[in-house]
Amino acid sequence: MGNEFQVRERFAAGAQYIGGQLRRGTSGRDQEVVNPATGETVLRYELASTDDVDAAVAAARQAFPGWSGLTPAERSDALHRLAAVLADRADDFAAAESLQCGKPVKLSTEFDVPGTVDNAAFFAGAARHLEGKSAAEYSGDHTSYVRREPIGVVGSIAPWNYPLQMAAWKILPAVAAGNTIVLKPAEITPVTSLMFAQAATEAGIPDGVINIVSGAGQDAGEHLVGHPDVVMTSFTGSTAVGRRVAEIATSTVKRLHLELGGKAPFLVFDDADLDAAVNGAVAASLINTGQDCTAATRAYVQRPLYDAFVEGVAALMESVRLGDPFDPSTDLGPLISHQQRDRVAGFVERARAYATVVTGGEAPGGELAEGAYYRPTLIAGAAQDSEVVRSEIFGPVLVVLPFDTDDEGIALANDTPYGLAASAWSRDVYRANRATREIAAGCVWINDHIPIISEMPHGGYKASGFGKDMSSYSFEEYTQVKHVMYDTTAVARKDWHRTVFGDR
């Protein structure tokens, strides 16, 4: 209750952060942030209206000339200070993230917050490395070079599964490149995004560079994407909503970056380290209670290892400890809401008609009954074209299927509209290398599944979207490439002029 009281006190002035100040929303509608472990209200606030979005965009537009006009070193220094503030407030960020999302505190403490601090430190350095192509006389008579320039006001939308990290993934590359931003977090998890913006102000980043509008997607979100002063949209969320974002963005000719759904395959060849694969499958399918678009969801296991893999995964899943997110011994927290838990349970219940629920498949009772908990679940015997194999469940559910030949395994892994992440498990370097070449996904891990690092890009193929978060590749999203060309001859009458007038 103490943490909940602190959140209410901290955002008593409102849950919109515009021009460096907290404000109340003006939509006339309230929104609750609910602790999914207990069902208790953490924060009640007024949602943003389209007027609030307009105010945030205006603040970002006003801040753009000053921020973009700083030297890379000056922006870098500001982001280094932000990284230091985030590190100093690590415990507060971890507590708030666990409170609004139900994440086990060991996950928020050891993954979400350190990853965000590292992201800030990385982009502080990357801000000084916005390189263009080397100058050269490509035409013979001109010197050419390439400038990378900020594009303007970015309007980004982040999801509820990793609110803090997704805020960082959207904000940091944009502002490191010299842009200003308006971020709309998911309305059910705005707390750590607001805290991030406050930390930026504390670090000396000018007012208006980072703005947060906490509003509903169909009004605040769509208005942000379609706003005439927003030049780019970056969206992370479901493929279905991504299609709507794309419709609005393309109708206003905006640059667009989409990181959408996933249905990651976990491909185990018959020479794999079985113990490593079992441990990896349980960790990768249950991280963040399975609410991760890169989580392992479809395990394809070559037949000689299949039975032992199913037995091992089931046994390890049954040892996973559900409980209070703030108990350091808790392994698995609740889903984000009872609605999401019921959605996950619906997939499992329907699967009983055509597959076997090996373990799990139920919500716990007792002292956890009030929360949105669901037991780790393993499903076997489903067909490749079944719902649990094709659809993104977004919960603690792993489906396992056998395969015989390497060709078949890779074909099954690719038999999905998605292509965000995948892993392959083998001791054979040639098998592993083949998997990295032939699996159509933005990230392919070998003998592991889930780790991400700031230096490397994150983004998908196919219906999982396009564009990259993190790494220096993300600057492709947030900068304009400008070709600059100087004449080197000082000749008034150029040879090519004859194509318009006169002779050679």
Side-chain angles (χ1 to χ4, degrees):
M1 184 62 71
N3 284 326
E4 295 172 17
F5 177 77
Q6 291 171 18
V7 169
R8 290 196 294 270
E9 286 290 295
R10 182 165 193 155
F11 299 109
Q16 318 301 325
Y17 198 74
I18 300 172
Q21 299 291 327
L22 286 171
R23 301 186 188 181
R24 295 186 184 278
T26 60
S27 70
R29 292 181 291 122
D30 285 355
Q31 173 69 45
E32 290 187 345
V33 178
V34 175
N35 180 348
T38 63
E40 296 178 350
T41 298
V42 173
L43 176 69
R44 181 179 287 105
Y45 70 93
E46 297 87 355
L47 287 164
S49 68
T50 56
D51 288 342
D52 298 320
V53 173
D54 290 342
V57 172
R61 187 178 181 187
Q62 182 177 5
F64 176 72
W67 181 249
S68 63
L70 295 179
T71 66
E74 289 170 324
R75 288 197 296 270
S76 175
D77 287 346
L79 291 177
H80 276 300
R81 295 193 301 269
L82 173 58
V85 173
L86 294 172
D88 187 57
R89 305 281 187 274
D91 289 345
D92 289 344
F93 275 99
E97 195 77 334
S98 290
L99 193 63
Q100 68 176 350
C101 300
K103 294 174 186 282
V105 72
K106 66 180 181 180
L107 178 64
S108 57
T109 300
E110 298 176 24
F111 184 74
D112 296 73
V113 175
T116 301
V117 174
D118 186 70
N119 252 225
F122 171 81
F123 280 107
R128 301 184 74 159
H129 295 280
L130 282 169
E131 297 178 349
K133 198 169 186 178
S134 298
E137 287 68 47
Y138 297 102
S139 76
D141 293 334
H142 306 82
T143 295
S144 288
Y145 66 86
V146 169
R147 292 174 56 90
R148 283 193 176 275
E149 298 180 345
I151 58 178
V153 177
V154 177
S156 293
I157 299 176
W160 50 257
N161 56 334
Y162 290 102
L164 176 60
Q165 289 208 83
M166 294 297 99
W169 286 16
K170 301 299 181 195
I171 292 169
L172 290 168
V175 300
N179 302 290
T180 57
I181 190 168
V182 178
L183 175 75
K184 193 199 87 65
E187 60 268 36
I188 59 174
T189 55
V191 174
T192 47
S193 298
L194 292 162
M195 291 171 63
F196 187 99
Q198 289 177 317
T201 298
E202 186 176 344
I205 293 176
D207 294 347
V209 172
I210 299 171
N211 306 275
I212 309 294
V213 288
S214 305
Q218 289 187 331
D219 39 47
E222 292 197 2
H223 189 66
L224 177 62
V225 174
H227 199 289
D229 291 333
V230 169
V231 297
M232 175 194 163
T233 291
S234 177
F235 170 80
T236 296
S238 72
T239 297
V241 178
R243 291 191 186 100
R244 175 60 180 158
V245 169
E247 289 175 2
I248 299 170
T250 54
S251 70
T252 52
V253 198
K254 285 181 172 56
R255 184 176 295 193
L256 183 61
H257 166 217
L258 298 174
E259 198 263 273
L260 307 177
K263 191 69 176 176
F266 187 99
L267 186 60
V268 183
F269 293 105
D270 59 13
D271 68 325
D273 181 327
L274 178 63
D275 187 48
V278 166
N279 280 274
V282 173
S285 62
L286 299 185
I287 188 169
N288 203 36
T289 318
Q291 299 167 126
D292 187 313
C293 48
T294 63
T297 58
R298 300 178 291 137
Y300 296 103
V301 184
Q302 208 151 22
R303 207 169 293 274
L305 294 185
Y306 178 79
D307 289 340
F309 179 89
V310 171
E311 181 180 351
V313 168
L316 189 53
M317 278 187 168
E318 288 166 5
S319 73
V320 170
R321 299 163 297 185
L322 282 68
D324 177 0
F326 287 93
D327 183 340
S329 68
T330 292
D331 298 320
L332 197 73
L335 290 150
I336 190 65
S337 65
H338 287 84
Q339 180 182 8
Q340 178 66 9
R341 184 199 62 187
D342 293 346
R343 178 180 178 275
V344 170
F347 277 104
V348 177
E349 290 308 306
R350 291 189 296 273
R352 294 184 192 276
Y354 55 80
T356 300
V357 178
V358 180
T359 190
E362 63 181 5
E367 61 184 18
L368 299 181
E370 295 299 316
Y373 290 89
Y374 198 76
R375 294 195 185 282
T377 301
L378 179 65
I379 297 175
Q384 176 67 12
D385 62 355
S386 62
E387 180 187 45
V388 290
V389 176
R390 307 298 296 177
S391 299
E392 188 175 26
I393 299 172
F394 227 56
V397 179
L398 178 65
V399 183
V400 58
L401 299 88
F403 70 93
D404 292 303
T405 67
D406 290 15
D407 288 349
E408 180 190 9
I410 291 175
L412 289 169
N414 282 331
D415 183 21
T416 176
Y418 300 107
L420 187 58
S423 65
W425 299 71
S426 173
R427 291 185 174 97
D428 186 323
V429 66
Y430 297 102
R431 268 179 157 173
N433 281 335
R434 180 189 177 190
T436 65
R437 291 193 308 271
E438 296 187 13
I439 293 176
C443 176
V444 180
W445 292 284
I446 299 298
N447 295 325
D448 207 345
H449 192 117
I450 283 296
I452 55 175
I453 51 175
S454 297
E455 290 83 356
M456 288 291 109
H458 177 85
Y461 288 20
K462 302 189 290 187
S464 291
F466 47 82
K468 300 300 178 185
D469 288 308
M470 298 196 299
S471 83
S472 59
Y473 291 97
S474 65
F475 287 134
E476 302 293 331
E477 318 302 325
Y478 296 102
T479 56
Q480 295 276 20
V481 173
K482 178 187 286 184
H483 171 214
V484 178
M485 197 175 204
Y486 285 90
D487 171 63
T488 61
T489 67
V491 174
R493 179 75 176 262
K494 305 295 193 291
D495 186 56
W496 71 267
H497 291 178
R498 67 187 172 82
T499 63
V500 180
F501 57 86
D503 300 319
R504 186 183 294 275

